[in-house]
Amino acid sequence: MRNRRLVMSAAAIVAAGIGFIPATAQAADPVKPATHGVAASGVDLDKAAASSFKKFSSPADRSVRKSLPGAQNKAAATAQAEGAVAGNPDLAMVLNAGSDTAHGLALSTEIISAPASLSITIEWGDGKKDTTTAGGSTTLENRHTYAELGEYTVKVTVTDTANQVEVVNTLPIQTAGSDFTPYGPTRLLDTRSGIGATKGKVPARGTARLKVGGNGGIPNGVTAVVLNVTVTNATQAGHVTVFGSGHDQPTTSNVNFEAGQTVPNLVIVPVGKDGYVELFNGGWESIDLLADVTGYFTRSASSGYTSMTPARFVDSRTGLGTAKGQVAGQAVFSTQISGLQGVPQGVSAVALNVTVTNPKETGHLTVFPSGQSAPSTSSLNFTAGQTIANSVIVPVGADGKISLRNGAWAGADVIVDVVGYYSLASNGSYMPLEPGRMLDTRDPESPIYGALPARQYYALEISGDEPGIAGYVLNTTVTNTQGAGFLSVAPDVNRIDDYNNGTAVPVARPGASSLNWTAGKTVPNLVQASAGSVGVVDFWNQGWEPTDLIVDIFGYYETK
């Protein structure tokens, strides 16, 4: 397995203040940052992704020996002339392989042979092959990257021309990464009505088990699933942790809630071998849980992922992507996604950050593919006057559009930022990790300690110059908030070393938001962050008061 680490280091960065309207992301001229401190820690990527990496082996006794034409007449004389053992009777090989990246395979070929001139051919099962030679027993180390995910059979052929004998060994393998298949949106769980679980609230410190693999049109064997998880009817503050059945319960949280709140958050979670995921109520009172599926991941080739710097596609306040003015209650509008701002034609799904602001009353927003009726699911829940954001992954209609429905009875403003897309032409494959905390500004042991200052940002080096990393699946949470504000997450153009040695170039303030908050609230949101060109991600506090920031990593997209 390739020795690789997902390295995380951090720099606290000051950015100059600009004019700011609460809940409105505003771009600014590039600002020159000043480093406040640098810290580093490491997350062992191979260890964190160990459940996705597989090992494969084919012993020597599976080697198939075959005599070549003319062997009986030529073998002995030719072998003796070259000093080889006549017939090379022990010729065989042992094959050991391991997946060590989303698309990559490391192969070790141990050849057992008398001294002889050998020709070796490795056929990788995708039409590609490598050739080499050897002079007898040896061990070869080779790597290969598959363009498409899937199952392949590696075939190694060793030919001893002098003895006119050939040995073949084969090894079935499977790539480690997972591709995305859009699905739904479809409701899989609603404890209020008994969908997907026993009717009734999930008790304090209790768990709801949800069948995913083999449920409806979702196949068995899925590696991960995209769920929009919503907490409602909570009578006390708490949190929900979602994890794959059979996995250790992580110490991270996916949804944080307060009494009386209805709070959604998108989750990309591994699915257990039994096809289930578990939703743990970390609070001390019972709650109702809802889960809507919008897609799943399998190790079969399907839609890969392409990360983008967040781009605004819809803002009803300005008329971008829809008519100017609030989206009326019970109204539906569609907006073009494919063919705009770097999103190509033919994408199968799109990753969004959707924000509702200035709603006149309590309600919900549903995002769905154009060309179909609005499903009975919700992508985002809101109360009157609230500004709230949620990540959404939604299939794109055949016309390249998505549709949005305001499920309230009164108007609300809607903002949509695109952070990436899934398509057959994209090759970013998902690698789920055991969830891990990368940053907690409340913790003195964290890479950065101290609340994220107003109008400033922290820069995290997540993978540095590690090749092939396209983006990260993160959960960002703000807490101890002192006023209204919002968080922006965007790739940096500077390496951490640039900050350390004072050569960092100015960084533009992002114009898109990832989550919104008000004073005294703890607010989470899933973020699919682009790795950019250097593997450094910036987390901007766009508010006027400091806030604590927590960043958990759940997976990454890899192209190699």
Side-chain angles (χ1 to χ4, degrees), residues 393-479:
I393 297 175
V394 60
V396 175
D399 57 359
K401 296 181 179 181
I402 61 170
S403 298
L404 299 94
R405 177 179 181 269
N406 177 8
W409 292 100
D413 281 309
V414 176
I415 304 162
V416 177
D417 298 319
V418 174
V419 301
Y421 58 86
Y422 298 86
S423 73
L424 295 177
S426 301
N427 60 355
S429 296
Y430 186 58
M431 295 291 294
L433 302 177
E434 292 298 326
R437 183 141 293 174
M438 299 179 62
L439 176 69
D440 186 342
T441 59
R442 306 166 301 176
D443 183 357
E445 301 299 321
S446 180
I448 303 176
Y449 176 53
L452 175 55
R455 311 302 292 154
Q456 299 176 18
Y457 69 90
Y458 288 153
L460 295 182
E461 183 185 62
I462 301 178
S463 60
D465 293 322
E466 176 65 37
I469 304 296
Y472 319 101
V473 176
L474 310 173
N475 205 67
T476 56
T477 303
V478 293
T479 191

Side-chain angles (χ1 to χ4, degrees), residues 305-511:
Y305 183 68
T306 297
S307 291
M308 295 173 50
T309 298
R312 183 144 294 176
F313 273 58
V314 174
D315 191 336
S316 63
R317 300 167 301 180
T318 63
L320 175 65
T322 187
K324 185 176 181 179
Q326 289 201 323
V327 180
Q330 303 295 303
V332 176
F333 74 92
S334 298
T335 191
Q336 187 71 33
I337 296 293
S338 299
L340 298 177
Q341 300 193 67
V343 179
Q345 299 289 347
V347 299
S348 58
V350 64
L352 313 171
N353 198 71
V354 180
T355 304
V356 168
T357 190
N358 304 318
K360 301 302 183 186
E361 65 173 32
T362 296
H364 68 273
L365 188 77
T366 300
V367 187
F368 58 100
S370 68
Q372 69 176 51
S373 300
S376 58
T377 59
S378 61
S379 304
L380 184 60
N381 298 74
F382 52 85
T383 57
Q386 185 180 27
T387 296
I388 187 170
N390 196 31
S391 289
V392 174
I393 297 175
V394 60
V396 175
D399 57 359
K401 296 181 179 181
I402 61 170
S403 298
L404 299 94
R405 177 179 181 269
N406 177 8
W409 292 100
D413 281 309
V414 176
I415 304 162
V416 177
D417 298 319
V418 174
V419 301
Y421 58 86
Y422 298 86
S423 73
L424 295 177
S426 301
N427 60 355
S429 296
Y430 186 58
M431 295 291 294
L433 302 177
E434 292 298 326
R437 183 141 293 174
M438 299 179 62
L439 176 69
D440 186 342
T441 59
R442 306 166 301 176
D443 183 357
E445 301 299 321
S446 180
I448 303 176
Y449 176 53
L452 175 55
R455 311 302 292 154
Q456 299 176 18
Y457 69 90
Y458 288 153
L460 295 182
E461 183 185 62
I462 301 178
S463 60
D465 293 322
E466 176 65 37
I469 304 296
Y472 319 101
V473 176
L474 310 173
N475 205 67
T476 56
T477 303
V478 293
T479 191
N480 299 324
T481 54
Q482 300 178 34
F486 66 95
L487 184 79
S488 296
V489 181
D492 201 327
V493 297
N494 297 297
R495 294 175 171 83
I496 292 299
D497 285 347
D498 296 328
Y499 288 114
N500 290 337
N501 60 32
T503 60
V505 300
V507 179
R509 186 181 295 276

Side-chain angles (χ1 to χ4, degrees), residues 106-413:
L107 173 67
S108 178
T109 305
E110 180 187 352
I111 298 174
I112 304 164
S113 173
S117 179
L118 306 176
S119 298
I120 302 104
T121 300
I122 301 172
E123 298 173 79
W124 296 102
D126 60 351
K128 305 289 181 62
K129 66 181 180 180
D130 293 336
T131 60
T132 190
T133 59
S137 293
T138 188
T139 298
L140 305 175
E141 304 292 342
N142 298 83
R143 291 199 79 262
H144 185 67
T145 299
Y146 291 93
E148 298 287 345
L149 300 181
E151 296 179 347
Y152 298 91
T153 297
V154 177
K155 177 182 177 182
V156 181
T157 303
V158 178
T159 304
D160 179 351
T161 304
N163 284 289
Q164 289 290 287
V165 65
E166 176 183 278
V167 170
V168 175
N169 202 344
T170 58
L171 181 64
I173 65 94
Q174 185 177 56
T175 50
S178 297
D179 276 356
F180 179 74
T181 299
Y183 186 91
T186 304
R187 179 146 293 172
L188 293 186
L189 174 70
D190 189 338
T191 60
R192 302 169 303 178
S193 59
I195 295 175
T198 302
K199 183 178 180 180
K201 285 186 170 184
V202 180
R205 318 302 290 178
T207 299
R209 280 177 49 83
L210 174 63
K211 183 173 177 58
V212 174
N215 189 350
I218 303 174
N220 289 308
V222 296
T223 57
V225 64
V226 180
L227 298 173
N228 194 58
V229 177
T230 302
V231 175
T232 192
N233 298 326
T235 58
Q236 192 179 91
H239 69 273
V240 171
T241 298
V242 188
F243 58 101
S245 175
H247 293 234
D248 291 337
Q249 182 179 313
T251 57
T252 55
S253 62
N254 298 101
V255 187
N256 297 75
F257 56 87
E258 296 180 1
Q261 281 188 321
T262 296
V263 183
N265 198 16
L266 194 71
V267 175
I268 300 178
V269 60
V271 177
K273 292 182 179 180
D274 60 1
Y276 281 81
V277 299
E278 304 200 18
L279 299 90
F280 171 73
N281 174 12
W284 295 104
E285 297 290 343
S286 60
I287 56 173
D288 276 312
L289 286 173
L290 293 72
D292 302 323
V293 60
T294 61
Y296 56 85
F297 292 86
T298 66
R299 288 195 171 94
S300 302
S302 186
S303 291
Y305 183 68
T306 297
S307 291
M308 295 173 50
T309 298
R312 183 144 294 176
F313 273 58
V314 174
D315 191 336
S316 63
R317 300 167 301 180
T318 63
L320 175 65
T322 187
K324 185 176 181 179
Q326 289 201 323
V327 180
Q330 303 295 303
V332 176
F333 74 92
S334 298
T335 191
Q336 187 71 33
I337 296 293
S338 299
L340 298 177
Q341 300 193 67
V343 179
Q345 299 289 347
V347 299
S348 58
V350 64
L352 313 171
N353 198 71
V354 180
T355 304
V356 168
T357 190
N358 304 318
K360 301 302 183 186
E361 65 173 32
T362 296
H364 68 273
L365 188 77
T366 300
V367 187
F368 58 100
S370 68
Q372 69 176 51
S373 300
S376 58
T377 59
S378 61
S379 304
L380 184 60
N381 298 74
F382 52 85
T383 57
Q386 185 180 27
T387 296
I388 187 170
N390 196 31
S391 289
V392 174
I393 297 175
V394 60
V396 175
D399 57 359
K401 296 181 179 181
I402 61 170
S403 298
L404 299 94
R405 177 179 181 269
N406 177 8
W409 292 100
D413 281 309

Side-chain angles (χ1 to χ4, degrees), residues 517-536:
W517 68 82
T518 55
K521 300 298 183 182
T522 296
V523 183
N525 199 17
L526 182 126
V527 175
Q528 300 217 94
S530 170
S533 60
V534 296
V536 178

